[in-house]
Amino acid sequence: MAIVTKQSPEGGNNVPPTPPPLPGPATNCRRNRSVTTGNSRVSTATRDMWDNLFDEGFRADVTIRTDDGGIIYAHAGVLGMASPVLRGMLKQAKGFGRKRSISIPGVQHDAVRVFIRFLYSSCYEQEEMKELVLPLLVLSHAYVVPQLKRICEQQLEDGLLTLENAIDVFQLSLLCDAPRLMLITHRMILRNFKAVSATEGWNAMKKSHPLLEKEIVESVIYEENMRKEKIRESNERKIYLQLYEAMEALIHICRDGCRTIGPCDKDFKEDQKPCTYAACKGIELLVRHFAGCKLRVPGGCIHCKRMWQLLELHARLCADPSLCRVPLCMNFKEKMRKQGKKDEMRWKMLVKKILSTKRIGGAPFFVSSNSISL
């Protein structure tokens, strides 16, 4: 029999019907409140119907017992479809006639009730989630309800994770195979270790899981050492960068001249552009002092000693001393050949670090870092 559509009265050029929408994510929906999220087209009335089915227990065939003596009525078909673990428990459960009884121990009655209600309508009350997020995380993992587990993890990441419950959440994230939540919680503990170690959760963990406490303390110590190491490396890099800039400024002064100082054949102009070398002013003052100091011998004056060191460092960096205009460059090159291995190694390490810090890979007047062999 031909299917006749409104678009084609004779049945030709049939237009296929619009496919049903994809199921939407679980919704934080309150009763008697219209909610639309994602691609979900489930009406509020349908959600309310599932909530009412659970609340009223119409023709319920399963009795769920909790630790505090509470009883929750549910339907085997709903539980079995929502959780493979509950399905297995129902198959093994004993009862009278068609009614069966199972137990969900280990958590409070209210948490079990919110958990079972979620299996019906995929809804939860935000206030209940705030209060019961940790037992709900345990239940969703233990009974394999990944949708609720993702919601619990997201709720904790979005604000329910606090310094007070950080240790409890960390332990549960390890037990419940929640690596992202575990990483976020661990970072919070590292950043706020002093406050976290003063909580009741930390004291309880010390008694029940001393090995875990030891691992956390070791990770805190490791993180602190890494932080100090990064600060040390950053400070070293700044020093090497300053030395490189000083070498650039020294060559600039001796080769091109800067403002009022430079080679003898340099013709200074009054309208010179501002110098672009950051270290130029400091090198200029050092050169002027070096030129006029009466204690110029190494070790006689701290400023002159620094100038001698800069001149030797330049000589070790200089690519072509025959064309170099920095004073004493060739003399220091000759001195390098007579130095002991220990001093030579120390200077080579310094030169390599300076070049690698700037990552220049060779410049018009500097040697390449690859040419330095330790």
Side-chain angles (χ1 to χ4, degrees):
M1 180 177 177
I3 299 176
V4 180
T5 65
K6 290 183 180 179
Q7 290 82 358
S8 177
E10 289 77 17
N13 300 322
N14 289 341
V15 178
T18 304
L22 296 172
T27 317
N28 168 21
C29 56
R30 299 180 181 275
R31 296 170 190 173
N32 303 321
R33 180 179 175 185
S34 177
V35 177
T36 303
T37 51
N39 296 320
S40 177
R41 297 295 183 270
V42 180
S43 65
T44 305
T46 303
R47 294 182 183 275
D48 289 344
M49 180 188 71
W50 283 101
D51 276 338
N52 292 334
L53 178 64
F54 168 69
D55 291 335
E56 297 175 9
F58 180 69
R59 290 194 175 184
D61 55 357
V62 178
T63 301
I64 302 173
R65 301 184 183 278
T66 57
D67 278 349
D68 51 4
I71 295 177
I72 301 171
Y73 297 101
H75 301 80
V78 176
L79 300 184
M81 291 301 296
S83 166
V85 177
L86 290 175
R87 184 188 311 162
M89 293 172 63
L90 289 170
K91 288 180 179 180
Q92 299 176 3
K94 296 180 181 180
F96 299 98
R98 293 185 177 180
K99 292 193 174 182
R100 284 164 286 186
S101 177
I102 60 174
S103 297
I104 298 183
V107 295
Q108 61 264 49
H109 175 84
D110 290 343
V112 178
R113 183 173 181 82
V114 173
F115 171 68
I116 298 299
R117 180 191 169 202
F118 183 88
L119 302 184
Y120 278 75
S121 62
S122 296
C123 290
Y124 60 91
E125 301 283 351
Q126 187 60 38
E127 291 302 318
E128 293 174 335
M129 178 61 71
K130 287 181 180 179
E131 181 183 355
L132 304 170
V133 62
L134 296 186
L136 287 175
L137 176 62
V138 174
L139 289 169
S140 63
H141 174 74
Y143 294 95
V144 192
V145 184
Q147 189 179 19
L148 178 58
K149 185 178 179 180
R150 286 194 296 269
I151 292 172
C152 292
E153 292 177 12
Q154 191 65 48
Q155 289 286 325
L156 286 165
E157 293 176 19
D158 291 345
L160 297 185
L161 175 62
T162 64
L163 296 178
E164 285 296 322
N165 66 12
I167 292 297
D168 295 332
V169 174
F170 182 67
Q171 293 181 85
L172 287 179
S173 64
L174 292 172
L175 294 172
C176 296
D177 190 23
R180 175 182 167 84
L181 181 61
M182 183 270 293
L183 180 61
I184 293 173
T185 309
H186 187 244
R187 287 177 177 173
M188 173 181 276
I189 294 171
L190 294 180
R191 290 195 303 267
N192 307 275
F193 180 71
K194 188 174 181 180
V196 171
S197 61
T199 61
E200 294 181 4
W202 178 268
N203 294 328
M205 183 192 64
K206 286 173 66 176
K207 297 177 181 178
S208 59
H209 298 91
L211 291 179
L212 181 59
E213 180 217 4
K214 182 182 177 182
E215 289 180 4
I216 294 176
V217 171
E218 288 176 351
S219 67
V220 171
I221 295 173
Y222 174 79
E223 192 73 15
E224 181 64 19
N225 290 337
M226 289 297 293
R227 187 186 67 83
K228 291 179 179 178
E229 182 65 18
K230 287 181 180 179
I231 293 175
R232 186 189 65 80
E233 289 178 356
S234 177
N235 292 337
E236 275 190 3
R237 178 178 171 79
K238 288 178 182 177
I239 293 173
Y240 297 141
L241 191 59
Q242 289 171 357
L243 286 173
Y244 180 86
E245 292 173 350
M247 293 297 99
E248 283 188 321
L250 180 62
I251 293 174
H252 163 64
I253 289 173
C254 297
R255 185 188 63 181
D256 307 321
C258 180
R259 293 190 293 265
T260 60
I261 188 171
C264 300
D265 56 352
K266 178 69 176 178
D267 184 19
F268 296 100
K269 299 179 181 179
E270 295 183 0
D271 57 343
Q272 290 187 79
K273 296 180 180 179
C275 182
T276 57
Y277 290 88
C280 192
K281 185 63 178 177
I283 296 297
E284 177 183 345
L285 294 175
L286 199 59
V287 169
R288 289 187 183 280
H289 169 84
F290 185 74
C293 183
K294 297 179 180 179
L295 300 174
R296 194 184 303 171
V297 293
C301 170
I302 186 172
H303 301 294
C304 291
K305 181 179 180 181
R306 187 175 303 168
M307 190 66 204
W308 284 113
Q309 291 172 339
L310 290 177
L311 289 172
E312 183 169 358
L313 179 60
H314 162 78
R316 293 179 177 276
L317 287 165
C318 186
D320 191 354
S322 60
L323 301 176
C324 182
R325 304 197 66 178
V326 175
L328 305 177
C329 182
M330 185 66 73
N331 298 66
F332 277 110
K333 287 286 187 182
E334 292 293 330
K335 178 185 174 183
M336 287 162 49
R337 298 191 181 96
K338 302 176 183 178
Q339 266 187 336
K341 290 184 178 180
K342 189 175 181 180
D343 290 338
E344 183 70 14
M345 181 66 69
R346 188 172 67 249
W347 277 104
K348 282 186 176 181
M349 288 177 64
L350 177 61
V351 169
K352 197 169 185 68
K353 286 183 177 180
I354 291 173
L355 294 175
S356 61
T357 299
K358 192 65 179 178
R359 293 186 175 89
I360 55 174
F365 35 79
F366 286 162
V367 296
S368 170
S369 60
N370 296 328
S371 65
I372 307 296
S373 58
L374 299 178

